[in-house]
Amino acid sequence: MRKKVTVVGAGNVGATVAQRVFDKGYADVVLVDIIEGLPQGKALDMLESGPVLGTDAKVVGSNGYDETANSDVVVITSGIARKPGMSRDDLLLTNMKIVTSVVTEVAKRSPNSVLLPVTNPLDAMAQRAFQVSKFPKNRVVGMAGILDTARFRTFLAQELKVSVEVVSAWVLGGHGDTMVPVVGSTNVGGVPVAKLIPKARLDEIVKRTQNGGAEIVNLLKTGSAYYAPSAAVVQMVESILLDKKQILPCTVYLEGEYGIKGLFVGVPVKLGAGGVDQVIQFDLTSEESAALQKSAAAVAELVEVMKKAG
Ligand code: APR
């Protein structure tokens, strides 16, 4: 039997995730949205691409949750996206309500699934999904770090005129302006990046990475990024469904690792069949460590606002 992936939210990110998973052919997909006809129409359109792509997987759309029962992975993209001038944090209270109701529905029907929140502000939404689902911490894994790292790798490869594949980089911390591109652990073909790019230029690339989401929002004007985010989600889905045990930067619940307690923050983790197998501990410089603490403090502030809102 094929694995089953539910994607909640049939907008830009959700529909592109569904398409990418369907195209691979190893999992059936259920696409859920509140807008009548939208998930059904997109799912049917995708299904009809199967004969051309050589995919026998099934994809269905729904405005309810019964079809999602016994999913292996549930990707949560429902919510509002940024417009120019908005920060991810401006989405907090609206998306908190949406994520709460969605997680309540999916957790009931797929109690053994791994939840992958994508909705922003990501770290706070992952925390919410964890609280509402009451799932063990290894089965709630937020998507942000792979995307932020992919942006960093893209810019570094452009700068050095090398393949993106030879750029090994890490961006940790919260998915916001305080994210931490870990320059000390970034290398190109095994050579530390700090030896290849002068500090002033490297600082500019780090800044561009931190503002990577806003750069896209300002170009699109009507929404936010979805090609790179959906590709990042699918890397996580694949590591889980195929039990690949890849080591990837993901947003997980920390209980003392990196000196952070009781919060969802982006760190390197080993991702396999049951979700998070292990948090990987990197050696950080004191500067990187301080930046990670600052980023965690920014996440804690949002969690506090959510607590007050109920
Ligand atoms: N249940 C199901 N779907 C919902 C709900 C809900 N309660 N509320 C909203 N949605 C759906 C919307 O109808 C819409 O189709 O979520 C979808 C969101 O799609 P887009 O507006 O295209 O947003 P997208 O670009 O996909 O981003 C979704 O991911 O990256 C983050 O910041 C981004 O928080 C945003 C989320």
Side-chain angles (χ1 to χ4, degrees):
M1 210 167 89
R2 267 186 297 269
K3 299 279 187 181
K4 184 168 175 180
V5 175
T6 285
V7 182
V8 186
N12 283 335
V13 178
T16 317
V17 168
Q19 181 198 354
R20 290 185 191 279
V21 173
F22 173 74
D23 287 359
K24 302 254 183 188
Y26 50 57
D28 292 332
V29 180
V30 181
L31 187 59
V32 178
D33 202 287
I34 41 167
I35 300 177
E36 229 171 275
L38 182 78
Q40 292 89 342
K42 289 192 178 183
L44 182 59
D45 191 11
M46 272 177 227
L47 188 71
E48 290 165 356
S49 71
V52 182
L53 298 171
T55 295
D56 285 301
K58 300 281 169 278
V59 50
V60 295
S62 179
N63 300 121
Y65 287 86
D66 287 345
E67 294 85 345
T68 70
N70 302 317
S71 292
D72 296 284
V73 172
V74 179
V75 180
I76 299 162
T77 76
S78 46
I80 53 166
R82 285 199 276 176
K83 302 245 160 57
M86 287 171 92
S87 84
R88 293 185 183 92
D89 298 356
D90 294 333
L91 313 173
L92 184 72
L93 294 180
T94 305
N95 284 351
M96 176 188 93
K97 289 193 193 110
I98 294 172
V99 167
T100 302
S101 71
V102 164
V103 170
T104 306
E105 297 297 333
V106 294
K108 269 195 281 200
R109 292 170 178 86
S110 299
N112 300 313
S113 60
V114 180
L115 300 182
L116 303 191
V118 181
T119 303
N120 276 312
L122 187 273
D123 313 86
M125 292 305 108
Q127 189 106 16
R128 191 69 175 186
F130 176 57
Q131 278 166 2
V132 173
S133 66
K134 301 192 176 64
F135 279 10
K137 64 177 181 179
N138 59 306
R139 289 202 279 115
V140 182
V141 201
M143 189 296 292
I146 301 173
L147 167 64
D148 297 329
T149 301
R151 288 179 172 146
F152 194 33
R153 290 171 67 193
T154 301
F155 304 148
L156 291 172
Q158 272 180 349
E159 181 72 11
L160 294 168
K161 300 187 176 53
V162 294
S163 162
V164 290
E165 288 179 326
V166 302
V167 181
S168 166
W170 295 90
V171 179
L172 307 182
H175 186 47
D177 307 342
T178 59
M179 70 178 74
V180 187
V182 184
V183 173
S185 303
T186 297
N187 68 71
V188 179
V191 180
V193 73
K195 288 198 172 162
L196 300 170
I197 301 176
K199 180 159 185 334
R201 178 65 189 139
L202 202 47
D203 286 347
E204 284 172 10
I205 293 172
V206 163
K207 232 326 41 53
R208 187 174 178 199
T209 302
Q210 288 165 330
N211 294 325
E215 186 176 356
I216 306 275
V217 170
N218 289 333
L219 289 166
L220 293 179
K221 294 182 184 70
T222 53
S224 57
Y226 55 102
Y227 291 115
S230 58
V233 170
V234 174
Q235 188 174 31
M236 292 170 68
V237 169
E238 204 160 309
S239 199
I240 295 166
L241 291 188
L242 306 183
D243 194 24
K244 286 180 83 166
K245 297 187 167 57
Q246 282 186 288
I247 296 185
L248 300 165
C250 299
T251 302
V252 298
Y253 190 69
L254 297 178
E255 289 181 300
E257 300 94 334
Y258 291 92
I260 298 165
K261 239 190 171 133
L263 269 187
F264 272 78
V265 177
V267 293
V269 301
K270 196 201 303 180
L271 260 194
V276 179
D277 260 17
Q278 195 190 341
V279 172
I280 308 294
Q281 193 83 35
F282 273 13
D283 285 336
L284 299 180
T285 63
S286 55
E287 212 174 69
E288 287 163 354
S289 198
L292 191 60
Q293 298 305 325
K294 191 174 158 212
S295 189
V299 175
E301 267 179 42
L302 294 185
V303 171
E304 211 40 52
V305 175
M306 284 200 303
K307 252 188 217 155
K308 283 189 188 133

